[in-house]
Amino acid sequence: MLNVSGIAKRYGRQVVLDDVTWAVSDGARVGLTGPNGAGKSTLLRIIAGEVEPDRGTVALPRGARVGYLPQHILGTSGVTVRRHALAAFADLHELEARRASLEHALATVAPESEEYPAVMERYRAVCDEWDHSGRYDTEAEAEAVLAGLGFRASDMERDCGELSGGWQMRAALAQLLLRRPDFLLLDEPTNYLDLEARTWLEEFLVAYPGTLIMVAHDRYFLDVTVDHIAEVLHGRVTDYPMNYSRYLAEREERLAQARKAYEDQKAEIGRIDAFIHRFRYQASKAALVQSRVKQLEKMDRLPPPDGHERTLRIRLPEAARSGRAVVQLEGARKRFGEVRVYDGADVLIERGQRVALVGPNGAGKTTLLKMLAGVLPLDGGERRVGQNVALGYFAQDHAEMLDPERTALEEVMGAASIETAPHVRSLLGAFLFSGDAVEKRTAVLSGGERSRLALAKLLVEPSNCLLLDEPTNHLDLTAKEVLLEALLAYKGTLVLVAHDRYLLDRLPTQVIEVGGGKAVRYLGNYEDYLRAKASAAAVATAPRGARAAGPVRASR
Ligand SMILES: Nc1ncnc2c1ncn2[C@@H]1O[C@H](COP(=O)(O)OP(=O)(O)OP(=O)(O)O)[C@@H](O)[C@H]1O
Ligand SMILES: [Mg+2]
């Protein structure tokens, strides 16, 4: 059992956690949700012992091991991917070493000697402990987890320091999962995972024997992995013993009830007020008026229900219309060392299209986007940009590129021109940075706040073609919806890398699948693309006779 009681935490004048009392039973699977900046990461850090609360206590079972994956990791270097993962077994390896030395001792100490029984005893204890761990082939186990998270055999001996931020996160996650802590705390583990790795992680977590507490904003992922939701809001935690979809519905219902109760009470107060005003000078009614006044004083005033909170407002500034062919790659070639990522790819992005780039791990989605954006030079072939094209590029690690020493205001000011600079504060306001918040250093911002800031930076200058690499990472549900709406309303051209089904099902008008050095185009959204793939696969695997039997129905 994990018991959190009376936890409070503030930063400056901002009260992040007000009074959190919360219990999590052993083996529970809990999704921690709530809007960006609500304090989810702060709570996890407090439980993990990385941040001291101002007040309150955290109680864990004696000897319980807690493992924590932060939202932003500090990468390691000077160690290979394999070694890094195997470090999870440090305790076990130490046990192994002890067993080996005791074996050696048993072989050298004479059986009839006085010390022999004691050595034997110690040897047995070590063997028992070893058996109890039930983990014999640590190398294989490490390889399986690394492979599940998308590492290829050729990556195993690479230095962690060479990896991109997203891959360092995967390396850290692999080590943590291998350690098998009793309490596994994961802060948005899916942000840098593609669909394959995400699916693997889903299965791993479903089978995980310990207690799981995880922050995520992804409905599909949460519905599979957790059956319990804890919502962080206004400095408190509320438990919802149900899955995420049911929680969303339940929250709507509670909100509707709270709104009704609030409105009913307001009406009641209005009626009493009117009565008091009407009869306050009539002596005959004095007693009645007095009792109404008392009634008002005694009434427990309901707070205005949630939903009155400010929400993100985004309007994407649009530049004048571009030419019909927006960006084009012809015979594009790109290689990294030995790996040929593109070997003569042709891609044409036309005005008004909304294109999603999909493909397995390491297929080169980000690479293609960078080549389209012109931030990564081609090794061969040509890149052409159409007339009047104003590109806006949002990099995957954009939020990590923020200068930790600068304030939010300084960051956006740095990206603005003389014309747009006067609007920066109101732009930041639309992204929910107001008052004091614009003066925060980017280093202390929450994940979602950083992403918002990076988006705000992108949007200070108008564009007619946006190239977005995982723009919804770290954004909460509302922010995601608002961004989706803004992107749907955007008349410019859009090229997108995303792993979020929420976006993928709604946004694209076509899908470009990359892999094997090529880029293949499919019309329609992600669902259509999956269907097309499924029928192609069914045709390919169907027995000969069945193949002629007309169109194959997709399984979804
Ligand atoms: N060291 C700090 N100094 C000042 N403010 C901080 C500090 N750490 C966190 N905050 C603020 O506390 C609030 C809560 O942050 P936290 O990271 O816990 O949010 P979160 O719920 O995890 O949000 P997200 O969904 O965006 O990750 C944020 O507004 C953040 O800016
Ligand atoms: Mg967070």
Side-chain angles (χ1 to χ4, degrees):
M1 187 90 151
L2 161 69
N3 263 308
V4 169
S5 90
I7 293 278
K9 179 76 194 172
R10 59 163 64 206
Y11 289 110
R13 276 187 294 164
Q14 181 187 9
V15 177
V16 177
L17 300 175
D18 182 28
D19 182 11
V20 174
T21 294
W22 185 44
V24 178
S25 50
D26 290 341
R29 263 107 238 293
V30 185
L32 205 55
T33 65
N36 290 139
K40 303 177 294 294
S41 299
T42 304
L43 181 58
L44 280 192
R45 276 189 218 126
I46 290 173
I47 295 171
E50 302 217 341
V51 163
E52 275 294 311
D54 300 335
R55 235 178 332 103
T57 55
V58 173
L60 284 155
R62 185 187 301 272
R65 293 178 315 135
V66 176
Y68 163 61
L69 180 80
Q71 192 168 3
H72 301 282
I73 64 144
L74 297 171
T76 40
S77 64
V79 56
T80 66
V81 170
R82 183 199 302 279
R83 284 271 131 230
H84 187 57
L86 285 171
F89 298 109
D91 292 354
L92 221 55
H93 290 158
E94 195 224 339
L95 202 64
E96 212 174 341
R98 259 171 42 219
R99 189 180 64 165
S101 87
L102 285 168
E103 257 163 18
H104 180 74
L106 282 178
T108 46
V109 175
E112 54 283 351
S113 73
E114 241 173 59
E115 44 184 328
Y116 191 85
V119 176
M120 192 59 178
E121 179 68 18
R122 277 188 7 241
Y123 177 67
R124 286 224 178 89
V126 168
C127 286
D128 278 354
E129 201 178 328
W130 172 263
D131 282 345
H132 188 70
S133 79
R135 305 176 82 176
Y136 306 104
D137 197 348
T138 52
E139 291 264 345
E141 215 182 303
E143 275 172 19
V145 168
L146 285 168
L149 289 174
F151 288 96
R152 282 170 298 199
S154 56
D155 297 326
M156 300 293 176
E157 305 309 326
R158 283 180 69 185
D159 191 307
C160 286
E162 289 172 19
L163 306 177
S164 69
W167 285 94
Q168 295 224 0
M169 205 299 288
R170 294 186 199 215
L173 178 59
Q175 193 198 64
L176 182 61
L177 297 180
L178 287 164
R179 268 198 269 143
R180 284 203 213 159
D182 306 305
F183 288 83
L184 182 58
L185 314 179
L186 303 177
D187 200 345
E188 306 207 19
T190 57
N191 276 340
Y192 298 97
L193 301 183
D194 53 22
L195 285 171
E196 279 175 76
R198 212 174 267 216
T199 308
W200 179 88
L201 183 62
E202 276 170 17
E203 283 163 18
F204 186 94
L205 293 178
V206 166
Y208 195 75
T211 306
L212 173 66
I213 303 176
M214 176 167 68
V215 183
H217 297 294
D218 182 325
R219 177 179 192 147
Y220 293 85
F221 186 78
L222 280 170
D223 271 347
V224 177
T225 48
V226 306
D227 51 17
H228 201 110
I229 297 293
E231 179 189 63
V232 185
L233 192 65
H234 304 318
R236 287 165 192 258
V237 170
T238 313
D239 264 312
Y240 290 79
M242 57 192 74
N243 75 9
Y244 189 65
S245 289
R246 292 243 336 269
Y247 148 81
L248 290 177
E250 171 85 16
R251 198 184 54 164
E252 273 308 306
E253 200 165 297
R254 287 195 197 183
L255 203 61
Q257 280 169 7
R259 280 202 197 107
K260 176 151 192 327
Y262 179 75
E263 294 303 330
D264 287 354
Q265 191 185 52
K266 225 165 79 180
E268 169 82 359
I269 291 170
R271 272 195 301 277
I272 299 174
D273 254 347
F275 182 92
I276 296 171
H277 275 88
R278 192 151 145 224
F279 298 114
R280 67 186 144 172
Y281 301 120
Q282 289 189 24
S284 63
K285 297 264 204 276
L288 277 178
V289 167
Q290 259 320 304
S291 90
R292 294 291 202 284
V293 170
K294 283 255 163 55
Q295 194 185 345
L296 269 194
E297 276 167 4
K298 272 202 303 211
M299 195 181 272
D300 257 340
R301 303 282 173 118
L302 297 171
D306 292 332
H308 289 196
E309 292 150 291
R310 295 178 319 127
T311 50
L312 200 61
R313 284 170 291 120
I314 307 181
R315 220 201 79 241
L316 302 169
E318 290 183 38
R321 218 161 87 126
S322 70
R324 190 176 167 78
V326 180
V327 205
Q328 183 167 17
L329 298 179
E330 257 180 10
R333 287 203 301 279
K334 187 75 211 173
R335 63 192 297 170
F336 295 108
E338 294 298 291
V339 189
R340 281 168 203 261
V341 187
Y342 288 100
D343 206 7
D346 298 318
V347 178
L348 170 64
I349 307 290
E350 289 177 292
R351 184 178 62 220
Q353 289 177 340
R354 295 199 298 264
V355 183
L357 306 181
V358 306
N361 236 333
K365 298 173 296 260
T366 293
T367 305
L368 181 57
L369 201 68
K370 282 184 175 166
M371 293 196 299
L372 289 169
V375 296
L376 189 69
L378 313 186
D379 293 339
E382 235 189 298
R383 167 180 184 263
R384 276 199 286 276
V385 179
Q387 289 213 319
N388 289 326
V389 171
L391 293 176
Y393 170 57
F394 182 86
Q396 187 175 16
D397 43 7
H398 212 112
E400 271 68 43
M401 301 284 195
L402 301 171
D403 180 345
E405 294 305 322
R406 288 213 262 182
T407 66
L409 187 60
E410 287 165 354
E411 267 300 325
V412 183
M413 275 298 190
S417 60
I418 296 184
E419 292 85 54
T420 52
H423 308 297
V424 162
R425 265 183 195 269
S426 70
L427 180 75
L428 278 169
F431 280 86
L432 303 186
F433 290 92
S434 52
D436 291 354
V438 303
E439 302 296 345
K440 277 190 184 177
R441 284 190 313 121
T442 66
V444 306
L445 295 178
S446 79
E449 288 167 345
R450 285 185 206 194
S451 295
R452 285 165 185 214
L453 189 62
L455 277 171
K457 267 178 77 174
L458 175 68
L459 301 184
V460 276
E461 292 300 325
S463 69
N464 51 30
C465 176
L466 287 174
L467 304 154
L468 306 176
D469 203 343
E470 303 270 0
T472 56
N473 271 350
H474 301 281
L475 292 185
D476 63 32
L477 199 69
T478 333
K480 257 188 216 179
E481 263 165 28
V482 172
L483 181 65
L484 174 67
E485 290 304 319
L487 291 175
L488 283 170
Y490 183 65
K491 290 199 195 57
T493 310
L494 193 67
V495 187
L496 170 88
V497 179
H499 296 304
D500 192 317
R501 286 294 298 264
Y502 191 73
L503 281 195
L504 284 176
D505 283 342
R506 287 165 186 78
L507 209 48
T509 54
Q510 53 177 272
V511 169
I512 292 182
E513 184 193 61
V514 303
K518 298 275 178 255
V520 184
R521 176 150 52 162
Y522 293 79
L523 292 181
N525 67 6
Y526 190 69
E527 190 90 46
D528 300 324
Y529 156 76
L530 288 181
R531 214 174 286 138
K533 293 284 284 183
S535 11
V539 170
T541 55
R544 256 170 208 289
R547 226 178 268 186
V552 179
R553 220 174 303 137
S555 55
R556 324 180 21 117

